[in-house]
Amino acid sequence: MLKILHKGFRQHFPEILKMISEWAEQFFGLELKEVKRCWGTYTIVKNLDDSHCGSSISDLDIPMNGLLMPLLGVIFLNGKSVSEDEVWEFLKMIAIYGRNKCIIFGEPCKFITKDLVQKNYLVYRKVLHSDPPRFEYLWGPRAHTEISKMKVLEFLAKVNETIPSAFPLHYAQVLREEGRTQAKVSDCSASCIPHPRETSNTSTLM
């Protein structure tokens, strides 16, 4: 890094290294660890703590938040779907290009369509009545099952150095959905409690 860094910026190397390490952890789940302090030697390891992402996805070759969390975040902020063009415009903003191989996850286009779509974390479909054909991405069934929208919102907030409530519309939506989920769980639990009359009958029979 020091070799490719312009000499005019070398005095700011500690700040640059800190920024890069934070970026790598937030987007790729990779942690920069110092190996030898006196030699300034570092190594990159996978952050095994995926709790900030909602769950640990074991069948992906990279940490879950490598591309999946940012993509789910973009889709969530845009409603229920986002166009293919918008996805690639977003990825360009973080210096990820479709056919260019990345040291982290290889070819991004292949990773998204082969791994994330085939494993049902994303849905890739044609936009109805589009001519010429246009395509869009949606949350896949496994994403809905395994990943909390609140965790995605927390991820977006962390990347933007803010808090989830800074996205008021989406934050309110998540709270409503979580409220309905809790209500369903409560209803289910209540339905499993024996009625007092049934309990009394059972005691009589015993």
Side-chain angles (χ1 to χ4, degrees):
M1 289 177 65
L2 285 171
K3 288 181 179 179
I4 65 174
L5 191 65
H6 189 278
K7 60 182 181 181
F9 296 101
R10 289 184 181 177
Q11 59 179 327
H12 303 293
F13 181 73
E15 293 84 357
I16 294 173
L17 183 64
K18 182 176 183 294
M19 180 183 66
I20 292 174
S21 63
E22 290 176 352
W23 182 274
E25 183 176 1
Q26 289 175 358
F27 278 97
F28 304 112
L30 299 175
E31 185 177 354
L32 188 67
K33 285 193 172 183
E34 190 173 31
V35 178
K36 295 181 180 179
R37 184 179 297 273
C38 58
W39 292 94
T41 305
Y42 295 84
T43 185
I44 296 177
V45 298
K46 177 180 177 181
N47 187 345
L48 298 178
D49 179 15
D50 290 326
S51 60
H52 62 287
C53 298
S55 65
S56 178
I57 296 181
S58 59
D59 58 348
L60 292 182
D61 294 332
I62 65 165
M64 168 181 143
N65 49 337
L67 273 183
L68 181 56
M69 290 297 284
L71 288 173
L72 292 179
V74 170
I75 296 171
F76 182 44
L77 293 181
N78 280 273
K80 293 185 177 181
S81 64
V82 64
S83 71
E84 184 176 23
D85 291 339
E86 289 175 317
V87 165
W88 291 111
E89 283 300 317
F90 163 72
L91 292 176
K92 285 180 183 178
M93 293 172 59
I94 55 176
I96 295 176
Y97 303 91
R99 300 297 177 183
N100 292 354
K101 284 194 173 183
C102 172
I103 190 173
I104 305 297
F105 37 73
E107 187 178 309
C109 184
K110 181 180 178 182
F111 174 74
I112 293 173
T113 57
K114 182 177 180 180
D115 291 319
L116 299 184
V117 172
Q118 289 187 1
K119 294 179 185 296
N120 294 316
Y121 290 113
L122 294 177
V123 170
Y124 179 67
R125 71 182 185 186
K126 179 184 175 182
V127 177
L128 290 176
H129 311 302
S130 60
D131 187 20
R134 291 181 292 108
F135 296 86
E136 62 184 0
Y137 286 94
L138 300 84
W139 278 44
R142 288 187 68 178
H144 282 289
T145 302
E146 299 177 7
I147 303 170
S148 162
K149 287 184 179 178
M150 182 60 80
K151 292 298 182 181
V152 173
L153 203 57
E154 289 173 354
F155 171 82
L156 293 171
K158 184 177 180 181
V159 171
N160 288 278
E161 298 182 348
T162 185
I163 56 177
S165 58
F167 305 89
L169 295 177
H170 301 87
Y171 186 67
Q173 176 188 337
V174 171
L175 291 180
R176 286 195 302 271
E177 291 181 358
E178 288 189 349
R180 287 195 294 268
T181 301
Q182 289 297 327
K184 289 180 180 179
V185 172
S186 298
D187 290 342
C188 179
S189 299
S191 66
C192 295
I193 300 175
H195 191 277
R197 182 176 299 175
E198 294 177 356
T199 305
S200 177
N201 292 339
T202 303
S203 300
T204 302
L205 290 174
M206 294 177 63

